[in-house]
Amino acid sequence: MGIRRVTAAAVALAVALPAVASSASAGPSRAVTFRPRPVSAPVFAVAPPDTDPQRQRHVVMASDGVELFAETWLPAPRHGLRPPARLPSVLVMSPYTGYNRTTRTSQKIVAALVPRGYAVTQMHVRGTGESGGCLEFFSAREADDGARMVEWLATRSPWGDGTVGAIGLSYWATTALNTAARGDRALTKYLKAVVAAAPVTSSYDHVRNDGVHRFWVTNTTHNTGSMYGYSLLSGHSPTETLVTGEDPTPVVEALTDPRTLPEPAHVPQKGACVAETVAAETAPGSDYTTYFAARDLRPHAGSIRAATLMFHGHRDGAVPTIMQAGFFDRIRAPKAGVFGVFDHEFPDEHYSGLRPEWERADTFPMIVAWFDRYVRGRRDTGVESWPAAQVQGSDGHWRVERSWPRTGGPPGQLALSAGGILGAASPTGRSVVVDAVPFDDASPVAGPNQRVVFDSGPLKERLEIVGGPLLDTWVTVDRSDAHLAVALTAYGRDGEPLPDGRIVGARSLRHVAPFRHGGFAQETGAPAPVGVPFRVLIRLPVIDLVVPRGGRITISIAGSQTTGPGVEGTAGLPVSVFEYPTEPSFSGATVTVHHDCAHPTALRFLLPSQTAVVLDVEERGRVFPDRSVPPSLPDSDGGHARRSVCGVAAVDPYALTG
C-alpha cells in the first residue's frame, strides 16, 4: 500500500504561494499552513441606512415593473479618515429581511466589509420585505432582478465605482449564484465576485432525492411556511427577533411599526404566485418538472464569470450536500471551496453547536481577501495561490483537493454478498426487500424482509470515503413501482456509531434514466420492468467520512430510511417525523437485490488524492492549532477497497453519473 504524505508537492506549494506557508507547529513532518491575507484595513465607521435615507434607501425597477427595495450601509469618516466618493459594493439579496433589519449573519458581513471601504447593500427579494411582486423561489426572473440591481449599484448609485460583489447563505447564496449564472451578461459584467454558503443549486434536490420525496409532510410544511411567512408577513417569522437600528425588537412589536410593514400597493402582489409555487414545491409526485428545470443552476454553472468562493458543510441539515455534485466542479471562473464538518452556516460559527472547536476563525478574512482581490483588483492578496478545494474529513483534518466532490483520487468499491457481507471479492447470492411501510432503526415493528444489512466487519486499515458515494445495484421487482433507500452507517472501534457517520440516499425504480449535468433530471416516471434484472444507481450525499482502523461500516437497504441514527420518537410519533426519512412507494413491491458476479452490487466511492497536501488552518480560539498531524496519512481504503471484484477494477462513481 502507498502512503499519502506531505510530499515535495506540499513543499512547492508552501514556497511558491505566499498565502500558504510552512506551519510553525512542531514535529518532523509539518502540515502546510493556510493563512488568508486581506489587504484592506478596517479604518472607517459604519453609516446605517437611517443616516441619509434619501441616499441610502433606493428602489430599482424590475423588468415587469415590480419595485425592488434596497438599503445600503456605507463607510463613514473615522479618526480624520474620510472614505472615497466612489466605492465598490457588495450585494446581499435576501428574502429574510425587512425595513432597517439585518440578520445576525448580515450584521457580520456589514461589520467585516463596510469599515474596509465597501458599501454593503441589502436587497429585499421580490415578494418579501419592502419589495413588490411575489416570491418565486430561485426563478429566472429573480436572476434578472439581481442583474438589474448589480448594474444600478455599479453605474447609477451615488457611490458606485463600477464593481460589485455578492454574498449570501442559503437562499441568498442562491440568488447571488443565480444572478451570476443566468443574469443578463450586459448587466452582470459588473459582478466580479460571489461568496456563496450552502446555495440551493437545484430546487429539486432541495426537497426530493432522485425520484423520491424526502418526507412529504415536513417539506410541505417548510415550503408553505416559507412562502406565507416570508412573503405575506413581509420577511418576518413569528418566532424571530428583528434588528431595527441598534435595538433587538420582538417581531410582534415590530409588525405594529408602520416602517416595518410593506407598502400597501405591494400587498396584493405578494400573494399572486403563492398558490402556484406551493403547489409545485409540495406536489406528491417526484418528477423533475418544468418548474424544477427552471430552478436548476447546474446546467448554467459554466456561464458564471464572477470569481466564486463557496462554503458548504457536510452536516448541513437544510440544504443537502448532494447540491455540490454537478455544480462546483463545472464552474470555469476562478474558484475556491471550503467543504467541512459544519451545518447550515458559514464555518466560522457553528450555531447548531456542532464541533465548536473546529470553527474556522479565518472565514471572514477569507471573504475579505476574496473581495479585495476580485472586486477591488488587488493582486497582493495571494488568493490565486489558494487551493481549489479545502476539504475536512470527519476526523477534523483539512487537506487540499484539486476539485470537489471529484478529487482525482482513486476509486474504491465494497461489494455486497450473501450472508450480509460487505467487501467481498467474489460476491454471491441475492437478498429480498419488501417496500411496504416507512422504516427507521428505532422501529419495533419492522416486518420480515423490510430491510437487509451488509457489514464490513472490523476494517484492517483506516477507510476514508469521499465525494458522492453511490450504491451500484442490480434488482428485480414484482411490481412496476418501488422505492429503495440506502443508509451508510459508520462505527468506531468501540462499536458505537460515529458522530458524523450516517448518510442516506434513495431512488425510485420508476426514475432510473441516466443523470444529466451531474444530477437527476427525469421529467416523468416510467413503469419499472417487472421480472427482469435491471441496474439502479442510488446516490448518497457528498461526504468525507473517516472510519478508523478497527471500525466498520454497514449498508442498509430498505423501502425507506431516516437520516438520523435511530432514536426514540417524540410525543408518540415515530422518529421518522423528525429525521426526514425518504418515502416508500407504498406499493408493497418485493425487490430482489442481486449481488453475484453476473449482477454485482457494490458501494462505489472515491478516495482522497494520494498526493493531497495536509492543511493547518486557524480554528476558533486557537491560532494554527497543534493538532496531531501524522507525518503521513495512511492509505485510506480500509485494507481492501481498491481490490477487484469478480476480476473487475473499481469504477469512478462520477463516470456513472456524469
Side-chain angles (χ1 to χ4, degrees), residues 19 23 32-38 338 347-350 356-366 390 392 396 398 615-627:
S23 171
V32 173
T33 294
F34 174 78
R35 187 197 300 265
R37 193 173 63 212
V338 178
D348 67 312
E349 191 169 3
H350 294 186
E357 71 276 17
W358 291 353
E359 292 173 347
R360 288 286 295 261
D362 60 359
T363 299
F364 275 86
M366 265 191 274
Q390 299 178 45
Q392 184 184 31
W398 288 91
L615 285 183
D616 194 14
V617 302
E618 183 179 3
E619 294 177 341
R620 184 67 58 196
R622 297 186 295 174
V623 177
F624 307 111
D626 186 18
R627 179 182 292 139

Side-chain angles (χ1 to χ4, degrees), residues 508-531:
S508 159
L509 303 192
R510 298 184 70 251
H511 295 80
V512 294
F515 296 99
R516 297 203 305 265
H517 308 297
F520 179 87
Q522 187 171 339
E523 296 175 4
T524 57
V530 174

Side-chain angles (χ1 to χ4, degrees), residues 107-198:
Q107 283 181 311
K108 290 162 65 175
I109 291 167
V110 168
L113 294 172
V114 176
R116 296 175 182 268
Y118 291 90
V120 173
T121 295
Q122 185 167 265
M123 170 187 141
H124 302 185
V125 168
R126 68 165 50 231
T128 68
E130 297 299 305
S131 289
C134 187
L135 182 59
E136 296 185 6
F137 271 31
F138 322 130
S139 68
R141 187 145 51 190
E142 275 189 9
D144 186 70
D145 292 347
R148 289 170 186 272
M149 187 62 71
V150 164
E151 187 272 341
W152 187 89
L153 289 171
T155 67
R156 290 185 283 147
S157 69
W159 59 85
D161 73 347
T163 61
V164 179
I167 187 170
L169 165 68
S170 193
Y171 198 120
W172 34 305
T174 311
T175 55
L177 289 174
N178 194 12
T179 296
R182 297 198 291 175
D184 185 334
R185 194 70 62 83
L187 305 178
T188 59
K189 66 183 181 182
Y190 305 104
L191 182 61
K192 305 300 183 182
V194 168
V195 176

Side-chain angles (χ1 to χ4, degrees), residues 34-90:
F34 174 78
R35 187 197 300 265
R37 193 173 63 212
V39 294
S40 58
V43 297
F44 302 115
V46 176
D50 276 342
T51 306
D52 187 352
Q54 292 296 109
R55 185 169 185 252
Q56 292 173 246
R57 290 196 173 100
H58 41 279
V59 170
V60 172
M61 300 302 292
S63 60
D64 58 352
V66 162
E67 294 181 335
L68 304 172
F69 178 81
E71 299 179 295
T72 299
W73 284 254
L74 290 174
R78 183 184 181 200
H79 301 317
L81 292 176
R82 300 185 64 83
R86 296 293 173 182
L87 303 166
S89 296
V90 173

